[in-house]
Amino acid sequence: MSILVTGGAGYIGSHAAVELLKTGYDIVIVDNLSNSNFESINRVKELTGKEFPFYKCDLLDRDELNTIFENHNFEAVMHFAGLKAVGESVEIPLMYYHNNITGTINLCDLMAKHDVKKLVFSSSATVYGHPDSVPIDESFPLSATNPYGRTKLMIEDILRDLYISDSTWRIALLRYFNPIGAHESGRIGENPNGIPNNLMPYITQVAIGKREKLSVFGNDYETHDGTGVRDFIHVIDLVKGHLKALKFLDKNKGIETFNLGTGTGYSVMDLINAFSTINSKAIPYQFVDRRPGDIAICYANPTKAEKVLGWRAEKDLNEMCKDSWKWQTDNPNGYEQKVLVQS
Ligand code: NAD
Ligand code: UD1
């Protein structure tokens, strides 16, 4: 029996793969490499000393995915595969709906066909839209402000309907807050394509000299220093929450939702200052207008995950900053190999 990890070549999926292998699970990874690099698979093998099957397969290719289900005996699926860039989802919404929703429908259909009814799904705090207050708990009203967020909301609804139709499913909807950091070895980490949209990869690229300065989007929010506040969570803590969710599903039928956050909000300036101090690296920045669609403050109430799963985030902001910087300095070009030009 093994765990199918969709999107396992990506940022969070590759860290989950390491944690699963370290804990003794067998895994199979399926990824179309649309936003990742095969090198991450090599690194997962190197870090764990374990072998596992990898399929370069698109979840939209139902026949190929069916063959993978026929060739393996899965006990559960961790479903990370999806497109995640908010701006891009506004520009090409159909691609986002097709990829994320059709991909998930194909996956669940084949899971049902092959009687694999245990699923851990990557949802997002984006499903809380513009929350009225903080900390945010799982009962808060749901809404979305962009096509990416709507794919997460729709998939959550689809999975709830699936459970209503067949109560033998066991599903965990994990709503991530802001994952940052990297494996402490510096061998795997976040590998954004082009200009990073998210804060931490932008900071590390400024720190290493790839970008001149960080634009801080807004310093007139109603927060302690005027900049946006988020619940940054170390990716290793985040993936440990997935293993706890898997154990929970072994014992419980049904569909349950969990916030995965630390419960503490830090501002953009807090993050810049922590990064600069712990890594002795100044981050040039300038204040610019707010980014459309951004909210002022977002942090989790993670009590449910603590009570029900026995999980809580342990790593602090300094560790997140240290590990993000180690990943960036050890891999200035991410997983892309340096091309040596001889003159
Ligand atoms: P990522 O882009 O690094 O990983 C996603 C992986 O899925 C990539 O390797 C990509 O190639 C693969 N993929 C995409 N579409 C596919 C398809 N149709 N078939 C097969 N593979 C496909 O992203 P990540 O940061 O690791 O995020 C993982 C999941 O967590 C995503 O579903 C994302 O929406 C969700 N999430 C991420 C964050 C975050 O801040 N990183 C926050 C909340 C939720
Ligand atoms: C963004 C997405 C959200 C997604 C999450 C994880 C938007 C509106 N929201 O959340 O849907 O789930 O990423 O992928 O895009 N910031 C800067 N300068 C930068 C980048 C960010 O000041 O160059 C600020 C932002 O304004 C925000 C904070 O840093 O206050 C965090 O931003 P980011 O990392 O993009 O995450 P979210 O906006 O929380």
Side-chain angles (χ1 to χ4, degrees), residues 204-236:
T204 60
Q205 291 197 6
V206 169
I208 206 159
K210 282 191 158 186
R211 314 213 172 264
E212 196 190 333
K213 61 180 140 180
L214 173 75
S215 292
V216 176
F217 299 141
N219 62 344
D220 55 354
Y221 286 109
E222 299 233 331
T223 61
H224 64 273
D225 60 17
T227 65
V229 166
R230 294 292 183 273
D231 188 336
F232 300 103
I233 175 168
H234 198 295
V235 65
I236 294 293

Short mmCIF file of all heavy atoms in Angstrom, two decimals, residues 204-236:
data_model
loop_
_atom_site.label_atom_id
_atom_site.label_comp_id
_atom_site.label_asym_id
_atom_site.label_seq_id
_atom_site.Cartn_x
_atom_site.Cartn_y
_atom_site.Cartn_z
N THR A 204 13.91 36.86 -0.66
CA THR A 204 15.19 36.13 -0.82
C THR A 204 15.87 36.51 -2.14
O THR A 204 17.08 36.56 -2.22
CB THR A 204 14.99 34.60 -0.74
OG1 THR A 204 14.11 34.16 -1.77
CG2 THR A 204 14.46 34.17 0.62
N GLN A 205 15.06 36.81 -3.17
CA GLN A 205 15.68 37.21 -4.45
C GLN A 205 16.28 38.61 -4.38
O GLN A 205 17.27 38.91 -5.05
CB GLN A 205 14.66 37.09 -5.59
CG GLN A 205 14.33 35.62 -5.89
CD GLN A 205 13.67 35.40 -7.23
OE1 GLN A 205 13.54 36.31 -8.05
NE2 GLN A 205 13.25 34.17 -7.48
N VAL A 206 15.71 39.48 -3.55
CA VAL A 206 16.33 40.79 -3.32
C VAL A 206 17.63 40.57 -2.53
O VAL A 206 18.69 41.12 -2.87
CB VAL A 206 15.38 41.74 -2.54
CG1 VAL A 206 16.12 42.99 -2.07
CG2 VAL A 206 14.18 42.12 -3.41
N ALA A 207 17.55 39.72 -1.52
CA ALA A 207 18.72 39.50 -0.66
C ALA A 207 19.91 38.97 -1.45
O ALA A 207 21.06 39.33 -1.20
CB ALA A 207 18.36 38.53 0.47
N ILE A 208 19.63 38.14 -2.45
CA ILE A 208 20.75 37.54 -3.21
C ILE A 208 21.17 38.42 -4.40
O ILE A 208 22.11 38.09 -5.11
CB ILE A 208 20.40 36.10 -3.66
CG1 ILE A 208 21.67 35.29 -3.85
CG2 ILE A 208 19.51 36.09 -4.88
CD1 ILE A 208 21.47 33.80 -3.80
N GLY A 209 20.45 39.52 -4.59
CA GLY A 209 20.86 40.47 -5.61
C GLY A 209 20.21 40.26 -6.97
O GLY A 209 20.58 40.90 -7.95
N LYS A 210 19.23 39.36 -7.04
CA LYS A 210 18.53 39.13 -8.32
C LYS A 210 17.54 40.26 -8.61
O LYS A 210 17.16 40.47 -9.76
CB LYS A 210 17.75 37.82 -8.27
CG LYS A 210 18.60 36.60 -8.45
CD LYS A 210 17.70 35.40 -8.66
CE LYS A 210 18.48 34.32 -9.35
NZ LYS A 210 17.65 33.19 -9.71
N ARG A 211 17.03 40.87 -7.56
CA ARG A 211 16.09 41.97 -7.72
C ARG A 211 16.58 43.12 -6.85
O ARG A 211 17.17 42.90 -5.79
CB ARG A 211 14.66 41.58 -7.32
CG ARG A 211 14.28 40.26 -7.93
CD ARG A 211 12.86 40.06 -8.30
NE ARG A 211 12.78 38.80 -9.03
CZ ARG A 211 12.80 38.69 -10.35
NH1 ARG A 211 12.84 39.77 -11.10
NH2 ARG A 211 12.78 37.51 -10.94
N GLU A 212 16.30 44.34 -7.34
CA GLU A 212 16.91 45.51 -6.72
C GLU A 212 16.32 45.79 -5.34
O GLU A 212 17.04 45.96 -4.36
CB GLU A 212 16.67 46.69 -7.64
CG GLU A 212 17.53 47.87 -7.37
CD GLU A 212 17.06 49.09 -8.15
OE1 GLU A 212 16.45 48.92 -9.23
OE2 GLU A 212 17.29 50.20 -7.64
N LYS A 213 15.00 45.88 -5.28
CA LYS A 213 14.38 46.13 -3.98
C LYS A 213 12.97 45.57 -3.93
O LYS A 213 12.34 45.36 -4.97
CB LYS A 213 14.39 47.61 -3.63
CG LYS A 213 13.65 48.49 -4.58
CD LYS A 213 13.76 49.94 -4.10
CE LYS A 213 13.95 50.83 -5.28
NZ LYS A 213 14.08 52.17 -5.22
N LEU A 214 12.51 45.40 -2.71
CA LEU A 214 11.16 44.88 -2.49
C LEU A 214 10.18 46.04 -2.51
O LEU A 214 10.45 47.09 -1.93
CB LEU A 214 11.11 44.19 -1.12
CG LEU A 214 9.74 43.74 -0.65
CD1 LEU A 214 9.29 42.49 -1.41
CD2 LEU A 214 9.75 43.45 0.85
N SER A 215 9.05 45.86 -3.19
CA SER A 215 7.95 46.82 -3.06
C SER A 215 7.03 46.32 -1.97
O SER A 215 6.51 45.20 -2.06
CB SER A 215 7.17 46.91 -4.38
OG SER A 215 7.98 47.50 -5.36
N VAL A 216 6.85 47.12 -0.95
CA VAL A 216 5.92 46.76 0.13
C VAL A 216 4.56 47.35 -0.25
O VAL A 216 4.42 48.58 -0.38
CB VAL A 216 6.40 47.31 1.49
CG1 VAL A 216 5.37 47.02 2.58
CG2 VAL A 216 7.76 46.72 1.86
N PHE A 217 3.59 46.46 -0.43
CA PHE A 217 2.29 46.89 -0.96
C PHE A 217 1.42 47.49 0.15
O PHE A 217 0.60 46.80 0.74
CB PHE A 217 1.57 45.69 -1.60
CG PHE A 217 2.30 45.08 -2.77
CD1 PHE A 217 2.32 43.69 -2.93
CD2 PHE A 217 2.97 45.85 -3.70
CE1 PHE A 217 2.98 43.09 -4.01
CE2 PHE A 217 3.65 45.27 -4.78
CZ PHE A 217 3.65 43.89 -4.92
N GLY A 218 1.59 48.77 0.38
CA GLY A 218 0.72 49.49 1.32
C GLY A 218 1.32 49.58 2.70
O GLY A 218 1.78 48.58 3.26
N ASN A 219 1.35 50.84 3.24
CA ASN A 219 1.77 51.03 4.64
C ASN A 219 0.73 51.86 5.39
O ASN A 219 1.05 52.53 6.36
CB ASN A 219 3.16 51.67 4.74
CG ASN A 219 3.22 53.05 4.12
OD1 ASN A 219 2.33 53.43 3.36
ND2 ASN A 219 4.26 53.80 4.43
N ASP A 220 -0.53 51.77 4.88
CA ASP A 220 -1.61 52.53 5.52
C ASP A 220 -2.76 51.62 5.95
O ASP A 220 -3.91 52.03 6.02
CB ASP A 220 -2.12 53.61 4.56
CG ASP A 220 -2.57 53.04 3.22
OD1 ASP A 220 -2.38 51.82 2.97
OD2 ASP A 220 -3.12 53.80 2.40
N TYR A 221 -2.43 50.34 6.20
CA TYR A 221 -3.44 49.42 6.74
C TYR A 221 -3.60 49.67 8.24
O TYR A 221 -2.68 50.19 8.89
CB TYR A 221 -3.02 47.96 6.51
CG TYR A 221 -3.15 47.48 5.08
CD1 TYR A 221 -2.03 47.25 4.30
CD2 TYR A 221 -4.41 47.25 4.53
CE1 TYR A 221 -2.15 46.79 3.00
CE2 TYR A 221 -4.54 46.78 3.22
CZ TYR A 221 -3.41 46.55 2.46
OH TYR A 221 -3.53 46.10 1.17
N GLU A 222 -4.74 49.26 8.77
CA GLU A 222 -4.97 49.40 10.22
C GLU A 222 -4.28 48.24 10.95
O GLU A 222 -4.94 47.32 11.45
CB GLU A 222 -6.46 49.39 10.51
CG GLU A 222 -7.19 50.52 9.85
CD GLU A 222 -8.02 51.34 10.81
OE1 GLU A 222 -8.49 50.77 11.82
OE2 GLU A 222 -8.18 52.55 10.56
N THR A 223 -2.97 48.28 10.93
CA THR A 223 -2.18 47.24 11.61
C THR A 223 -1.11 47.94 12.46
O THR A 223 -0.98 49.17 12.35
CB THR A 223 -1.48 46.31 10.59
OG1 THR A 223 -0.59 47.12 9.80
CG2 THR A 223 -2.48 45.62 9.67
N HIS A 224 -0.34 47.20 13.25
CA HIS A 224 0.56 47.88 14.17
C HIS A 224 1.61 48.75 13.49
O HIS A 224 2.09 49.70 14.06
CB HIS A 224 1.20 46.89 15.16
CG HIS A 224 2.09 45.87 14.51
ND1 HIS A 224 1.63 44.68 14.00
CD2 HIS A 224 3.43 45.87 14.27
CE1 HIS A 224 2.65 43.98 13.50
NE2 HIS A 224 3.74 44.68 13.65
N ASP A 225 1.98 48.42 12.24
CA ASP A 225 2.94 49.29 11.55
C ASP A 225 2.44 49.73 10.16
O ASP A 225 3.21 50.26 9.37
CB ASP A 225 4.32 48.61 11.44
CG ASP A 225 4.25 47.28 10.66
OD1 ASP A 225 3.26 47.05 9.95
OD2 ASP A 225 5.21 46.49 10.77
N GLY A 226 1.18 49.47 9.87
CA GLY A 226 0.59 49.93 8.61
C GLY A 226 0.73 48.94 7.45
O GLY A 226 0.09 49.09 6.41
N THR A 227 1.58 47.91 7.63
CA THR A 227 1.74 46.93 6.54
C THR A 227 0.88 45.69 6.82
O THR A 227 0.50 45.44 7.97
CB THR A 227 3.23 46.55 6.33
OG1 THR A 227 3.72 45.86 7.47
CG2 THR A 227 4.08 47.80 6.06
N GLY A 228 0.61 44.93 5.76
CA GLY A 228 -0.29 43.78 5.86
C GLY A 228 0.21 42.74 6.86
O GLY A 228 1.43 42.55 7.01
N VAL A 229 -0.72 42.09 7.53
CA VAL A 229 -0.36 41.06 8.52
C VAL A 229 -0.81 39.69 8.04
O VAL A 229 -1.95 39.52 7.57
CB VAL A 229 -1.00 41.40 9.89
CG1 VAL A 229 -0.94 40.20 10.84
CG2 VAL A 229 -0.30 42.61 10.52
N ARG A 230 0.09 38.70 8.14
CA ARG A 230 -0.22 37.34 7.69
C ARG A 230 0.25 36.31 8.71
O ARG A 230 1.13 36.59 9.53
CB ARG A 230 0.50 37.05 6.35
CG ARG A 230 0.02 37.87 5.17
CD ARG A 230 -1.40 37.53 4.76
NE ARG A 230 -1.83 38.28 3.58
CZ ARG A 230 -2.37 39.49 3.62
NH1 ARG A 230 -2.53 40.13 4.76
NH2 ARG A 230 -2.75 40.08 2.50
N ASP A 231 -0.27 35.11 8.54
CA ASP A 231 0.10 33.98 9.40
C ASP A 231 1.11 33.12 8.64
O ASP A 231 0.75 32.20 7.90
CB ASP A 231 -1.18 33.19 9.72
CG ASP A 231 -0.96 32.10 10.75
OD1 ASP A 231 0.18 31.66 10.91
OD2 ASP A 231 -1.96 31.70 11.38
N PHE A 232 2.39 33.47 8.78
CA PHE A 232 3.44 32.72 8.08
C PHE A 232 3.69 31.41 8.82
O PHE A 232 3.85 31.41 10.04
CB PHE A 232 4.72 33.55 7.99
CG PHE A 232 4.52 34.84 7.24
CD1 PHE A 232 4.40 36.05 7.92
CD2 PHE A 232 4.41 34.85 5.86
CE1 PHE A 232 4.20 37.24 7.23
CE2 PHE A 232 4.19 36.03 5.16
CZ PHE A 232 4.08 37.23 5.84
N ILE A 233 3.73 30.32 8.06
CA ILE A 233 3.92 29.00 8.68
C ILE A 233 5.04 28.27 7.95
O ILE A 233 5.10 28.28 6.70
CB ILE A 233 2.60 28.19 8.69
CG1 ILE A 233 2.84 26.77 9.22
CG2 ILE A 233 1.92 28.16 7.32
CD1 ILE A 233 1.56 26.02 9.54
N HIS A 234 5.92 27.63 8.74
CA HIS A 234 7.04 26.89 8.14
C HIS A 234 6.49 25.69 7.37
O HIS A 234 5.65 24.95 7.89
CB HIS A 234 8.01 26.43 9.24
CG HIS A 234 9.36 26.06 8.70
ND1 HIS A 234 9.56 24.98 7.85
CD2 HIS A 234 10.59 26.61 8.88
CE1 HIS A 234 10.83 24.89 7.55
NE2 HIS A 234 11.49 25.88 8.15
N VAL A 235 7.00 25.50 6.16
CA VAL A 235 6.48 24.42 5.30
C VAL A 235 6.63 23.05 5.96
O VAL A 235 5.80 22.15 5.73
CB VAL A 235 7.14 24.48 3.89
CG1 VAL A 235 8.65 24.20 3.97
CG2 VAL A 235 6.48 23.56 2.90
N ILE A 236 7.63 22.89 6.82
CA ILE A 236 7.80 21.59 7.49
C ILE A 236 6.68 21.37 8.50
O ILE A 236 6.11 20.28 8.60
CB ILE A 236 9.19 21.50 8.17
CG1 ILE A 236 10.30 21.50 7.11
CG2 ILE A 236 9.30 20.26 9.07
CD1 ILE A 236 10.35 20.28 6.20
#
